[in-house]
Amino acid sequence: MKSKGSKYTLLLGTALLGFYLQANSIHAATTTSSNGQPVTDNVTPLVQTNKDEASTPQATTDWADPAQYQHDVPVQILGINDLHGGLETTGSATIGNNTYSDTGTVARLAGHLDSAEESFKAANPTGTTIRVEAGDMVGASPANSALLQDEPTMHALKAMNFDIGTLGNHEFDEGLAEYMRIVNGGQPVKQYNEAAMAYPHVKSGINIITANVVQKSDGQIPFGMQPYLIKEIHTSDGKVARIGFIGIETTSLPILTLYDNHKDYDILDEAETIAKYDRILRKKGVNAIVVLAHTGVSTDKEGNTKGNAVDIIKKLYQIDPNNSVDLYIAGHSHQYANATVGSVKLVQAIYTGKAYDDIIGYIDPTTDDFVKGSLVSHVYPVLSEKDAPNVKTDANVTAIVQDANRRVAPIINKKIGEAAKPGDILGRLHNTATRENAVGELVVDGQLYAAKKAGLPADFAMTNTGGVRADLHVNNDRSITWGSAQAVQPFGNILRVVQMTGAQIVKALNQQYDEDQAYYLQVAGLHYTYTDQNDPNQPYKVVKVYDQNNQPLDMQKTYNVVINDFLAGGGDGFSAFKDAKLVGIVGQDTDVFIDYITDMTNKGNLITAPVMNRKIYMTAAQLAGETTKHNEKDQSATQSVTTQTDKVVNQPTAPVVVIPATVEQPANTVQLNAESMRKAGTNNASVNNSLTNLTPVGLNSRTNRPTNKQAILPQTGDNDELSWLLLGTSLMSMTGLTLIKRKRKQA
């Protein structure tokens, strides 16, 4: 009986342990998406970066051999993203390991697209070229487009034969209705400047598709847009093939545009929406599928490709490992990318017309799918006439730009001020290591000045760097024009003065340091020190904040802060601004910046680049050294007071306020770093009492949701599963001990 009992106990323990492991394995392998579809967690497609070493399609050696695809349909996809009305925008473009200078302008872009198409058709006489865009064609535009409601940009796209596009976040800048008006060539429904009202309102011919933007009222896609488009291709030799395009908006839209512009819409999950319409297209027999998605990605010089678009494709594979998506044209992050995720080609062509995507493949007309191995993707720079004299600048597009310039010239060429010296004051493409830039700080200096001028005394000003769009161009005679200032602040956002506590301000500053500092602030009226912390979701924390009089920020005191209405709505994820109480309205940011330059010039304060010392990074060791020096100074001052009472001595400086890390805790609790507080020599009660409404470790401090970088740390486990595990393990252990004891007795 004892022998059999031990065996039964062992069997029972093993069975229970196996039951637990099986249940846990199933749980780990499959979860459910928000639309009820199963998501298989163990499907992880390989990410492989594709090399871009050639600067032109003609110099590329890895195109598929057309001779191998005589029975198939040749297709070329030419794509762009994030044009932002950059009719004449130029700059450097880094693609792979190569950096090209003086790239861009729509006239040069048009010439390069034509050259790429000619090269393709020379090798594939029956081929078809389709031109597409992945959003943000308009918005944050220079004056020659923005002053004309971006209609010159739509005219240029029409002249370049763009056929299909999707929505970016900037298509919502003036409301989706206004964007659809300029797409369709309708008459303005609002009164704009005289030049804009007189500009020709012409239909662009672009089919705008979006699958995941739906009206909250009825779940329908607005303005009659379609979720996908099927393009039927007829070749000159009688072949017919079909290719499907799906349009996708970023789910980050609510933090990227004003509340009134997105409040009527739901933005559905990107991967789930792609999977849904991928299935629909396959049921229709369409298996060659292209996604146009305004979601970011980047490929660095080390060959690493990462970003939201990669995560979306990985999730798509989890939802449907057998999906038929072949190509994903990305946008939004303004960076270069060329990779293959699973079997999906993924590209992004920087921004403002500095580069373009060129993808060539062959569709089997019997399956309506790309022949395996035939699809090749590349990204090329839009080279200047000097660097590519064989590429013709498009005359029609040039005429569109020149016409726009003529119409807005009286406005943009007006002198508004002077700089102390010639040469541009540089912006966000020339950030310091601490994410400061000269023109950004000039902007917030102007906003702080404007608030006080309007009778709304403000302590600080902060703006999102995404709203500071360009360098401030200064002419050789040191003059600054209206157009140069407008290019820096093109949105016309409303500036408001709001009340915030010191703790709320610190929270906003700390929100710069999640998401790899993708979103950060330019600040005026304060300066601060930040240091490292051991949290992959937020690797830095703010530890000292001072006002312009070098006084430490009081966590409980209320301050007046100038922000724009984009930030007031939690834009760029700065949720700390959302609950701030409105004190008053200053005006539009564009007008404020222009007026600031004029006022300073009239007062004899010629415009100069600010000294960028408002964000100071220190290592933990440097910070500890500063604190030690400070304490020694305090001690020395105290001794001096006690030994020299008959002399006037300097009072010790105010104690340093050490702010705990914003690895935030649940509401109404504070977890201070005791060691850092001890080193800082402070036990400031106001710090303890004011830092509330904080978020648990592992959550995004903006959304209170698990971050993509790291899931919430595991808890002690599910009680039911743990009970089975412990019971099974205990029974097996008891059996083992019983057997050992019996053997000893027998011995």
Coordinates of all heavy atoms in Angstrom, one line a residue, residues 358-394:
D358 N 11.2 53.8 -54.1 CA 11.1 53.2 -55.4 C 11.0 51.7 -55.2 O 12.0 51.1 -54.8 CB 12.3 53.6 -56.3 CG 12.2 53.1 -57.7 OD1 11.2 52.4 -58.0 OD2 13.0 53.5 -58.5
I359 N 9.9 51.1 -55.4 CA 9.7 49.7 -55.2 C 9.2 49.0 -56.5 O 8.2 49.5 -57.1 CB 8.6 49.4 -54.1 CG1 9.1 50.1 -52.8 CG2 8.5 47.9 -53.8 CD1 8.4 51.5 -52.6
I360 N 9.9 47.9 -56.9 CA 9.5 47.3 -58.2 C 9.3 45.8 -57.9 O 10.0 45.1 -57.1 CB 10.6 47.4 -59.2 CG1 10.8 48.9 -59.6 CG2 10.4 46.6 -60.4 CD1 12.0 49.2 -60.5
G361 N 8.2 45.2 -58.4 CA 7.9 43.8 -58.3 C 7.0 43.3 -59.4 O 6.6 44.1 -60.3
Y362 N 6.7 42.0 -59.4 CA 6.0 41.4 -60.5 C 4.8 40.6 -60.0 O 5.0 39.8 -59.1 CB 6.9 40.5 -61.3 CG 8.1 41.3 -62.0 CD1 9.2 41.6 -61.2 CD2 8.0 41.7 -63.3 CE1 10.3 42.3 -61.8 CE2 9.0 42.5 -63.8 CZ 10.1 42.8 -63.1 OH 11.2 43.5 -63.6
I363 N 3.6 40.9 -60.5 CA 2.4 40.3 -60.0 C 2.0 39.1 -61.0 O 1.9 39.3 -62.2 CB 1.2 41.3 -59.9 CG1 1.6 42.4 -58.9 CG2 -0.1 40.6 -59.5 CD1 0.6 43.5 -58.8
D364 N 1.7 38.0 -60.4 CA 1.2 36.8 -61.1 C -0.2 37.1 -61.4 O -1.1 37.1 -60.5 CB 1.4 35.6 -60.3 CG 1.0 34.3 -61.1 OD1 0.3 34.4 -62.1 OD2 1.4 33.2 -60.6
P365 N -0.6 37.2 -62.7 CA -2.0 37.5 -63.0 C -3.0 36.4 -62.6 O -4.2 36.6 -62.5 CB -2.0 37.8 -64.5 CG -0.8 37.1 -65.0 CD 0.2 37.2 -63.9
T366 N -2.5 35.2 -62.4 CA -3.4 34.1 -62.0 C -3.7 34.1 -60.5 O -4.7 33.5 -60.1 CB -2.7 32.7 -62.4 OG1 -1.5 32.6 -61.6 CG2 -2.4 32.7 -63.9
T367 N -2.8 34.8 -59.7 CA -3.0 34.8 -58.3 C -3.3 36.2 -57.7 O -3.7 36.4 -56.6 CB -1.8 34.2 -57.5 OG1 -0.7 35.0 -57.8 CG2 -1.6 32.8 -58.0
D368 N -3.0 37.2 -58.6 CA -3.1 38.6 -58.1 C -2.2 38.8 -56.9 O -2.6 39.5 -55.9 CB -4.5 39.1 -57.8 CG -5.2 39.4 -59.1 OD1 -4.6 39.7 -60.1 OD2 -6.5 39.4 -59.1
D369 N -1.0 38.2 -56.9 CA -0.1 38.4 -55.8 C 1.3 38.6 -56.4 O 1.6 38.1 -57.5 CB -0.1 37.1 -54.9 CG 0.6 37.4 -53.5 OD1 1.0 38.5 -53.3 OD2 0.6 36.5 -52.7
F370 N 2.2 39.2 -55.7 CA 3.6 39.4 -56.1 C 4.3 38.0 -56.2 O 4.1 37.2 -55.2 CB 4.3 40.3 -55.2 CG 4.0 41.8 -55.4 CD1 3.2 42.5 -54.5 CD2 4.5 42.5 -56.5 CE1 2.9 43.8 -54.7 CE2 4.2 43.8 -56.7 CZ 3.4 44.5 -55.8
V371 N 5.0 37.8 -57.2 CA 5.8 36.6 -57.3 C 6.8 36.6 -56.2 O 7.5 37.6 -56.0 CB 6.4 36.4 -58.7 CG1 7.3 35.2 -58.7 CG2 5.4 36.4 -59.8
K372 N 6.9 35.5 -55.5 CA 7.8 35.4 -54.3 C 9.3 35.8 -54.8 O 9.8 35.3 -55.8 CB 7.8 34.0 -53.7 CG 8.6 33.9 -52.5 CD 8.5 32.5 -51.8 CE 9.3 32.4 -50.6 NZ 9.2 31.1 -49.9
G373 N 9.9 36.7 -54.0 CA 11.2 37.1 -54.3 C 11.4 38.2 -55.4 O 12.5 38.6 -55.6
S374 N 10.3 38.6 -56.0 CA 10.4 39.6 -57.0 C 10.4 41.0 -56.6 O 10.8 42.0 -57.3 CB 9.3 39.4 -58.1 OG 8.0 39.8 -57.5
L375 N 9.9 41.3 -55.3 CA 9.7 42.6 -54.8 C 11.0 43.2 -54.2 O 11.6 42.6 -53.3 CB 8.6 42.7 -53.8 CG 7.9 44.0 -53.5 CD1 7.2 44.6 -54.7 CD2 6.9 43.9 -52.3
V376 N 11.5 44.3 -54.8 CA 12.7 45.0 -54.3 C 12.4 46.4 -54.0 O 11.8 47.1 -54.7 CB 13.8 44.9 -55.4 CG1 15.1 45.6 -54.9 CG2 14.1 43.4 -55.7
S377 N 12.8 46.9 -52.8 CA 12.5 48.2 -52.3 C 13.8 49.0 -52.1 O 14.8 48.5 -51.7 CB 11.8 48.2 -51.0 OG 12.6 47.6 -50.0
H378 N 13.7 50.3 -52.5 CA 14.8 51.3 -52.3 C 14.3 52.6 -52.0 O 13.2 53.0 -52.3 CB 15.7 51.3 -53.5 CG 16.6 50.1 -53.7 ND1 17.7 49.9 -52.8 CD2 16.6 49.1 -54.5 CE1 18.3 48.7 -53.1 NE2 17.6 48.2 -54.2
V379 N 15.2 53.4 -51.3 CA 14.9 54.8 -51.1 C 16.1 55.6 -51.7 O 17.2 55.3 -51.5 CB 14.8 55.1 -49.6 CG1 14.6 56.6 -49.3 CG2 13.7 54.3 -48.9
Y380 N 15.7 56.7 -52.4 CA 16.8 57.5 -53.1 C 16.6 59.0 -52.7 O 15.5 59.5 -52.5 CB 16.6 57.3 -54.6 CG 16.8 55.9 -55.1 CD1 15.7 55.2 -55.6 CD2 18.0 55.3 -55.1 CE1 15.9 53.9 -56.1 CE2 18.2 54.0 -55.5 CZ 17.1 53.3 -56.1 OH 17.3 52.0 -56.5
P381 N 17.8 59.7 -52.8 CA 17.7 61.1 -52.5 C 17.2 61.9 -53.7 O 17.3 61.5 -54.9 CB 19.2 61.5 -52.2 CG 19.9 60.5 -53.0 CD 19.1 59.2 -53.0
V382 N 16.6 63.1 -53.4 CA 16.2 64.0 -54.5 C 17.4 65.0 -54.7 O 17.5 65.9 -53.9 CB 14.9 64.7 -54.2 CG1 14.6 65.8 -55.2 CG2 13.8 63.8 -54.1
L383 N 18.3 64.7 -55.6 CA 19.5 65.4 -55.8 C 19.3 66.7 -56.5 O 18.4 66.9 -57.3 CB 20.5 64.5 -56.5 CG 20.9 63.2 -55.8 CD1 21.7 62.3 -56.8 CD2 21.6 63.4 -54.5
S384 N 20.2 67.6 -56.2 CA 20.2 69.0 -56.9 C 20.6 68.9 -58.3 O 21.2 67.8 -58.8 CB 21.1 69.9 -56.1 OG 22.5 69.5 -56.2
E385 N 20.4 69.9 -59.1 CA 20.9 69.9 -60.5 C 22.4 69.8 -60.5 O 22.9 69.1 -61.5 CB 20.5 71.3 -61.1 CG 19.0 71.3 -61.4 CD 18.7 72.6 -62.3 OE1 19.6 73.4 -62.5 OE2 17.5 72.7 -62.7
K386 N 23.1 70.3 -59.6 CA 24.6 70.2 -59.6 C 25.0 68.7 -59.4 O 25.9 68.3 -60.1 CB 25.2 71.0 -58.4 CG 26.7 70.9 -58.2 CD 27.1 71.7 -57.0 CE 28.6 71.5 -56.8 NZ 29.1 72.3 -55.6
D387 N 24.3 68.0 -58.5 CA 24.7 66.6 -58.2 C 24.1 65.6 -59.2 O 24.6 64.5 -59.3 CB 24.3 66.2 -56.8 CG 25.2 67.0 -55.8 OD1 26.3 67.4 -56.1 OD2 24.6 67.3 -54.7
A388 N 23.0 66.0 -59.9 CA 22.4 65.1 -60.9 C 21.9 65.9 -62.1 O 20.7 66.1 -62.3 CB 21.2 64.3 -60.2
P389 N 22.9 66.4 -62.9 CA 22.5 67.2 -64.0 C 21.7 66.5 -65.1 O 21.0 67.1 -65.9 CB 23.9 67.7 -64.5 CG 24.9 66.7 -64.1 CD 24.3 66.2 -62.7
N390 N 21.8 65.2 -65.1 CA 21.0 64.4 -66.1 C 19.5 64.3 -65.7 O 18.7 63.9 -66.5 CB 21.6 63.0 -66.2 CG 21.6 62.2 -64.9 OD1 22.0 62.8 -63.8 ND2 21.3 61.0 -64.9
V391 N 19.2 64.6 -64.5 CA 17.8 64.6 -64.1 C 17.2 66.0 -64.3 O 17.7 67.0 -63.7 CB 17.6 64.2 -62.6 CG1 16.2 64.3 -62.2 CG2 18.2 62.8 -62.4
K392 N 16.2 66.1 -65.1 CA 15.6 67.4 -65.5 C 14.7 67.9 -64.4 O 13.8 67.2 -63.8 CB 14.8 67.3 -66.8 CG 15.7 66.9 -68.0 CD 14.8 66.9 -69.3 CE 15.7 66.5 -70.5 NZ 14.9 66.4 -71.7
T393 N 14.8 69.2 -64.1 CA 13.9 69.9 -63.2 C 12.5 70.0 -63.9 O 12.5 70.6 -65.0 CB 14.4 71.2 -62.7 OG1 15.7 71.0 -62.1 CG2 13.5 71.9 -61.7
D394 N 11.4 69.7 -63.3 CA 10.1 69.7 -64.0 C 9.7 71.1 -64.2 O 9.5 71.9 -63.2 CB 9.1 68.9 -63.1 CG 7.8 68.7 -63.9 OD1 7.0 69.7 -63.9 OD2 7.6 67.6 -64.4

